[in-house]
Amino acid sequence: GAVVSQHPSRVICKSGTSVKIECRSLDFQATTMFWYRQFPKQSLMLMATSNEGSKATYEQGVEKDKFLINHASLTLSTLTVTSAHPEDSSFYICSARDPLAGGSSYNEQFFGPGTRLTVL
Amino acid sequence: TQLLEQSPQFLSIQEGENLTVYCNSSSVFSSLQWYRQEPGEGPVLLVTVVTGGEVKKLKRLTFQFGDARKDSSLHITAAQPGDTGLYLCAGVSGAGSYQLTFGKGTKLSVIP
């Protein structure tokens, strides 16, 4: 099956610094990737949709200048949390869609293992 | 904004018992997916249901999509400790849309 990796798996940073999280599709080319945020004991909330070669589409309430998304290649999307603050501490999860998947897998998203961000 | 309501939010049962988790919405979804998530990990897809009234079985797990494609259920027979986890339903709103709307999840604990 399709595999999506994330790096780093955990990161601790000081308030005011920026953190970059990478999301890679390992065995397929992903024209679309998604970034989610999950707070403790809560569900996944979509932050933005990342399309290769174009600007990301952000969900309402998500600051695009704070959460910078770059999808420069078909296998890599990055999320940069700029000037991180303690309230940005969360579990960030990416997913990728395989445009060549057929049948009911057409809408399937393959999720990465997540990145735990802790801002001190 | 489409919402998916999951119930119950928490469920603690003894090994061997049966359980059902519900996912309801007032909106129609073109397809609905069920995921299981372990702490500190990303969700793992269990099943995708597409057709209204569809029933899919995965070993002891039975998934059903409502006739109107607004609701779904997950039934686990003879639960085992290994079934413990967060179960999430997620809907795809329409043709050409790839965005998933997640329910809040059901935290299942199966006690040996």
Side-chain angles (χ1 to χ4, degrees):
Chain A
V3 179
V4 175
S5 70
Q6 277 185 247
H7 178 80
S9 58
R10 291 176 177 269
V11 57
I12 301 173
C13 69
K14 292 183 179 180
S15 184
T17 61
S18 295
V19 175
K20 180 185 284 188
I21 302 170
E22 294 184 348
C23 177
R24 294 182 184 273
S25 57
L26 298 185
D27 50 1
F28 66 100
Q29 293 183 328
T31 52
T32 306
M33 290 185 172
F34 302 88
W35 287 96
Y36 295 84
R37 180 167 52 184
Q38 185 177 32
F39 290 107
K41 298 183 180 181
Q42 294 189 24
S43 189
L44 282 73
M45 297 298 295
L46 180 65
M47 298 176 65
T49 301
S50 172
N51 296 299
E52 187 268 337
S54 63
K55 292 183 179 180
T57 303
Y58 290 81
E59 294 301 299
Q60 193 172 11
V62 178
E63 300 176 57
K64 61 180 181 180
D65 293 331
K66 181 170 182 62
F67 298 99
L68 301 179
I69 291 173
N70 185 287
H71 194 157
S73 79
L74 287 171
T75 59
L76 173 65
S77 176
T78 61
L79 168 68
T80 301
V81 183
T82 62
S83 187
H85 288 95
E87 57 265 30
D88 298 324
S89 298
S90 188
F91 193 51
Y92 291 86
I93 307 173
C94 73
S95 71
R97 182 182 157 269
D98 183 355
L100 298 181
S104 61
S105 297
Y106 185 71
N107 284 327
E108 184 172 345
Q109 293 181 25
F110 301 95
F111 284 83
T115 296
R116 173 72 61 192
L117 170 62
T118 303
V119 185
L120 303 177
Chain B
T1 303
Q2 295 178 304
L3 294 175
L4 274 170
E5 299 288 341
Q6 265 187 260
S7 62
Q9 189 175 356
F10 299 97
L11 190 56
S12 181
I13 61 172
Q14 293 291 133
E15 181 177 358
E17 292 183 351
N18 302 332
L19 66 113
T20 302
V21 176
Y22 300 93
C23 181
N24 296 295
S25 176
S26 58
S27 303
V28 175
F29 291 97
S30 61
S31 65
L32 195 139
Q33 300 174 343
W34 285 92
Y35 292 83
R36 181 163 155 242
Q37 185 182 22
E38 301 281 354
E41 299 181 10
V44 176
L45 180 67
L46 297 174
V47 77
T48 300
V49 285
V50 179
T51 307
E54 182 177 6
V55 176
K56 281 192 174 179
K57 291 192 174 184
L58 187 64
K59 296 184 180 178
R60 292 175 295 100
L61 278 60
T62 302
F63 305 86
Q64 186 163 7
F65 202 12
D67 291 340
R69 290 186 287 132
K70 293 182 179 181
D71 55 87
S72 181
S73 64
L74 158 60
H75 182 79
I76 301 180
T77 304
Q80 299 178 2
D83 296 328
T84 295
L86 179 68
Y87 289 83
L88 296 158
C89 66
V92 178
S93 58
S97 170
Y98 311 124
Q99 290 187 349
L100 291 174
T101 299
F102 277 88
K104 290 189 175 182
T106 296
K107 181 70 172 69
L108 171 65
S109 297
V110 182
I111 304 167

